Each structure stands twice: as C-alpha cells, then as structure tokens.
Amino acid sequence: MSHDDQVRKLGKKFTRACHANFGPMLLAMHVKGFRGVPHLTLSFTSPITALSGLNGTGKSTIAQLAACAFRQPDGYALLRFYVAHFFPVSPADPHPFAADAEVHYTYATEGHSTPQQLTVKRAAKEWSGYKRQPQRATHYIGFTQFIPKVERRDMSVYGARTLELGETRQLQPQAAQHVARILGLPYDQLAFTDVRTTTKSSKLAMASRGGQTYSENHMGFGEGRVVYMVNTLETAPPKSLILLEEPETSLHGDAQVRLAQYLVDVANRRGHQIILTTHSAAILGQFGRESVVYLRRTPENGVTATHGLSTYQIDSHLQREGRIPDGITICVEDAFARCLTTWIFRTTDPDLLSGCTFLEIGGGQEIPGAVKLLRNAKRRTVGLSDGDMPHDGAGGVITLPGSLPPEKEVFFHPAVKDYFARAPFNVDITETLAGVADHHNYAKVIADRLMLDPTAIASDACRAYVEAHESADFFSLTDYVRSEVGDRR
C-alpha cells in the first residue's frame, strides 16, 4: 500500500469508527490561563495531530496538557501525568498559570455521537477533575527520553571498567526494521541489554551492523532517539496516546520523511493517537491536511489554531523572511491588480496569502504565456487577468472581479467613493477623475491632490472595495486558486 493510501486509510478509520479504531481518544481541548496559552480551543480531527508554529506559541504547553488527559490503565507500569508535573509553582516560577486556569477535555466515546467532557481546574491549592477521566496508556516522549549517556555522566560511561552485562532483549523484528528504514542503516540486530556496576543498574541500547557491535554510548543523538522512540511506539499497548516533542531533531531530511511515514503506519496498525510538535516541513508534508494545526499568537495575547494549512503556507509563516521557493506564484498585470488581490486574499482567506510571490507581468495579454512558462518550470502558478481581458480559468488564468479594469471597478464603486468623500479626505472621486484618460493614473491623480503616496491611496481604495463585499463574493476566485495550485499536503 502506498503512503498516500495509508494517509487516506487513516482518515477513513477516524471518520467511520473513531472509538472502535482508536479508543477514547482526545477530540478537543479548551485551554485557559496556562503559560504561553492564555486561551485556545483546539480540535483533533485525525489520529495524528502535528502542532506547528513559531517559538512561543504554546506547542509544548498543549502537548503537556494533552498528556494529562487520561488515567494510566490499572496495573500499568508507568505513572500517570498530572498538570502539576509540567507546571510546578516555585520561587523561580511563582505564577505558571492564572488563578482561574483550566483545561476542558472532550473524548471520543462508544458510538462517537455522545462525547465525554470534563474539566481539570485549580481548586484551592490542588488540581481537581481527574477522577472521571478515561483510562488510556499515555507516553510522553520529550527530549529526555534519549540523552546521550556521556552527557549525563552515566555509570555506563564513567563506570565502564566495572560494568557488567546482563540479559539482552532483542527489539521486535518489525521495530528493528522500522528503525533501519527510518535511519537508512543496515542493522544486523538491535537490542537492549541490562547493565550494572557494583551500586547501580541501567539498560543500554545495542546495535550490530557491518560486523561491529556498539552501544548507544557510540550512537549519535538522532540514531539513539529513533531507537527509543520506535521501541516505545511498538511496545506500548494498542490504542495508546503518544506525545512527541520535535521528533525531527538531529535527523536529516530524508530520515524525517521516513519517520513521518512510519508514524502514519503505526497509527494505522496499532490504533495510537499521536500528537507531536514540529517545525519540519518534511514531516508535515507526509500527513493529511486534517493532521496539520498551525498555532499563532493574536494581538489580544491569545493563541489561535488554524487547521489544514499546506506545507508551503506553514513554511512561509515559520520562515517569514525571504522568498519561499515552493509557494504560489500569482501573475498579475500591475501593482494595482496585486494590491486588490492581496486585499481579497487577506480578507477572505488570509492563509492563502501565505507563501505567495506576486509577479507583475505588465500586460494582460502576456499573463497566459507567463503562467505556461512558469508551470513548465514546475512552479505552482496562477494568472489573474484584469476584468477587461476576461479568462475562463483555462490554462491557469482567471479574471479578477468585475468586467472593467480593476482601477475602474474599485475607484468608482459606491463604497470607495463614499470612503474618500468623508473626512479626512473630502474628495469627490467622480469629479477628480473626470478628465483622467488612463485608468492606470487614477491612484496618482488622487494622491497628488491629497499630497499622499499613490500606494497608500491604492491600498485604502482596495480595502474599502473588498470590505464592502461579502466574503462569499470572492470564494469563486480563492477556490479557483486553491484548486489550480493543488490542495497538497
């Protein structure tokens, strides 16, 4: 089965029988008053949820609070997670949460039509609300799951001369195969060996390849972390909750891709719900759009969650500077057409604007040729012609709103004329432009009269024009652009 088929299969299993396939998984969280997350509502619409966003947007906070959503199964070896484990009060951090902090969880239940809901909140000096939580094995795999023992002054390194080897347990064959595939290394075998000195005991990951055997003390950080990560995912009880903090750390690009493909595979096979934080476009690109959540801060100091962004859009948000080579190229006639398109996207579908590169072609008749040339160069390209040069969408070119050049459509729109007629402008647009033969000069003529920059006049006019419309008036344009560039993961 291809990876794309695996992604589709995972989505169908969630949609058709969520509880039966994945147990009492998290469906939603509402977080209020925690470090880095003043308020946020987040839905989980896939068994895999990848949280991405700039540093400081609360990705780790969400993952940690998700780890506190369940009780460990009775008799399970691991202790359960509590909010206080991740948000301790101390002299260094006296207020890691607000007085009214709480997290509201929604779980899948039998039949999926009546989800279970409960709230964990601060009551006096303790957190309450845990008792009714469903049981589910939960594993939080942060950066401490594998730290090279040489950096921890571990007894297996600094007590090496007195080290004694004990029982060796081979990794499950399937787990060893997945580790080898992710890392691209031809292992003969992988195992964990008990080790001890006269006073301490521990375990070591062991690997054999090319006739040589070595312990994790001689593994790189990426290699060792993948061994421990895959072992956990393969040995945890079926339908566990797995939290992964930036699993791409210390892995090269191809290994990141194969790791993400493995996560889709193991969620399908074992029914795990996997929530991970990541900055890796290589990883995000291997998931379905329903698995991708982008977190961003709002001016009100809250955090919002946007679902289903494309990889190039998240790249644009994360990188912010420079041109994103895998984004969308929008071919327009001139700067005014670019301004109008920008306001349409910003108002109607702001995430579509992310990753866009605009090219001003100079003439509407040249736009189809430019689109064809760029598409032949494997560039994701759409052309938007002015209204006086209509296109029906064939060849990647469609027409901007209206049947006239955009300057005429915009400046003579009643809402725009009213905007400039009011203070502080007090300009009659019809009178001012009556003797202007070339519509390309409209913004400059108005700007000269007002002693302002033409770019500012164009922007104000386009904004007033777009805001005078319903968002639905522009859906055909934005839907066309999305369909033409491919709604890719």
Side-chain angles (χ1 to χ4, degrees):
M1 181 182 296
S2 72
H3 175 67
D4 286 345
D5 288 339
Q6 287 267 33
V7 171
R8 285 189 285 270
K9 178 182 177 182
L10 191 66
K12 289 178 181 178
K13 290 174 73 172
F14 172 82
T15 303
R16 292 175 178 173
C18 175
H19 185 276
N21 290 319
F22 303 101
M25 65 177 286
L26 272 177
L27 295 179
M29 291 170 58
H30 176 74
V31 178
K32 174 185 174 184
F34 284 88
R35 173 199 69 213
V37 186
H39 48 83
L40 171 70
T41 297
L42 174 66
S43 297
F44 299 96
T45 57
S46 168
I48 296 178
T49 302
L51 304 174
S52 191
L54 296 173
N55 292 330
T57 49
K59 299 184 297 297
S60 293
T61 296
I62 297 303
Q64 291 163 355
L65 290 173
C68 304
F70 295 92
R71 293 180 292 131
Q72 299 284 20
D74 293 337
Y76 197 51
L78 293 182
L79 297 176
R80 67 150 300 158
F81 296 100
Y82 293 96
V83 172
H85 291 161
F86 296 108
F87 302 89
V89 177
S90 72
D93 295 288
H95 305 292
F97 45 79
D100 60 347
E102 64 180 32
V103 54
H104 184 82
Y105 299 103
T106 301
Y107 307 91
T109 54
E110 194 75 38
H112 196 52
S113 58
T114 55
Q116 178 185 353
Q117 299 184 354
L118 63 85
T119 300
V120 172
K121 59 184 178 180
R122 189 79 164 172
K125 294 184 178 181
E126 302 293 335
W127 293 93
S128 66
Y130 295 116
K131 291 183 179 179
R132 293 192 302 112
Q133 288 182 325
Q135 292 187 350
R136 191 180 200 191
T138 301
H139 290 258
Y140 184 88
I141 304 178
F143 292 99
T144 60
Q145 190 202 37
F146 175 80
I147 298 177
K149 287 182 166 57
V150 67
E151 297 181 20
R152 291 187 281 164
R153 299 185 66 84
D154 186 79
M155 60 91 175
S156 65
V157 177
Y158 294 93
R161 292 187 177 181
T162 61
L163 198 67
E164 297 181 6
L165 302 182
E167 180 185 357
T168 295
R169 296 172 299 281
Q170 300 292 327
L171 259 71
Q172 298 175 358
Q174 192 171 38
Q177 291 170 9
H178 286 300
V179 173
R181 182 177 179 277
I182 292 168
L183 296 172
L185 295 174
Y187 292 107
D188 299 320
Q189 65 176 20
L190 288 165
F192 285 97
T193 295
D194 294 329
V195 294
R196 60 181 178 273
T197 63
T198 54
T199 58
K200 297 179 180 179
S201 62
S202 183
K203 68 176 182 179
L204 279 176
M206 307 290 292
S208 296
R209 58 187 174 95
Q212 300 292 320
T213 298
Y214 57 97
S215 76
E216 66 182 79
N217 293 333
H218 295 277
M219 292 180 182
F221 180 76
E223 180 183 8
R225 195 173 187 216
V226 168
V227 171
Y228 275 83
M229 191 187 316
V230 171
N231 183 63
T232 298
L233 284 158
E234 295 295 339
T235 59
K239 302 179 183 178
S240 292
L241 173 62
I242 309 292
L243 294 309
L244 303 174
E245 285 277 13
E246 298 188 23
E248 71 269 19
T249 304
S250 292
L251 295 179
H252 62 83
D254 288 345
Q256 292 179 29
V257 168
R258 293 191 291 265
L259 173 61
Q261 292 173 347
Y262 164 72
L263 295 179
V264 173
D265 169 73
V266 75
N268 265 316
R269 285 189 290 109
R270 310 206 68 234
H272 294 329
Q273 180 178 12
I274 300 172
I275 301 173
L276 64 142
T277 67
T278 182
H279 295 100
S280 169
I283 284 181
L284 294 171
Q286 300 304 308
F287 298 145
R289 291 283 289 274
E290 65 278 1
S291 292
V292 177
V293 178
Y294 184 79
L295 302 179
R296 74 187 88 194
R297 292 212 165 275
T298 65
E300 297 78 20
N301 200 33
V303 178
T304 62
T306 303
H307 293 72
L309 295 188
S310 293
T311 304
Y312 68 82
Q313 292 171 328
I314 291 182
D315 265 351
S316 176
H317 285 309
L318 294 179
Q319 297 183 30
R320 284 191 170 181
E321 297 182 359
R323 180 172 165 177
I324 307 302
D326 196 31
I328 305 172
T329 298
I330 306 290
C331 294
V332 293
E333 183 173 326
D334 54 24
F336 193 87
R338 171 180 179 166
C339 183
L340 176 58
T341 304
T342 299
W343 274 111
I344 290 173
F345 286 2
R346 179 175 289 118
T347 304
T348 307
D349 190 350
D351 289 308
L352 182 58
L353 188 61
S354 302
C356 283
T357 298
F358 285 87
L359 289 183
E360 298 168 20
I361 303 302
Q365 64 272 18
E366 282 86 30
I367 288 178
V371 170
K372 182 177 180 180
L373 181 66
L374 289 167
R375 287 189 167 191
N376 287 341
K378 307 303 182 184
R379 182 77 185 183
R380 297 146 62 82
T381 307
V382 173
L384 303 179
S385 67
D386 289 359
D388 57 336
M389 296 195 68
H391 286 84
D392 61 3
V397 184
I398 199 170
T399 307
L400 286 167
S403 58
L404 301 173
E407 292 89 346
K408 292 184 178 181
E409 291 285 348
V410 169
F411 281 110
F412 290 108
H413 189 277
V416 178
K417 292 197 291 183
D418 180 66
Y419 175 80
F420 282 102
R422 291 182 278 109
F425 303 112
N426 301 313
V427 168
D428 186 320
I429 291 293
T430 302
E431 177 185 301
T432 302
L433 299 179
V436 182
D438 188 350
H439 58 269
H440 295 103
N441 293 329
Y442 283 0
K444 183 179 185 304
V445 170
I446 298 170
D448 288 345
R449 178 165 178 175
L450 294 172
M451 300 183 67
L452 293 172
D453 188 281
T455 303
I457 294 298
S459 181
D460 281 358
C462 290
R463 179 177 182 177
Y465 173 84
V466 171
E467 290 182 346
H469 289 76
E470 298 292 333
S471 294
D473 294 340
F474 302 114
F475 283 168
S476 61
L477 177 64
T478 54
D479 288 348
Y480 174 81
V481 173
R482 282 195 176 279
S483 65
E484 283 296 300
V485 299
D487 204 23
R488 79 184 187 111
R489 294 188 302 274

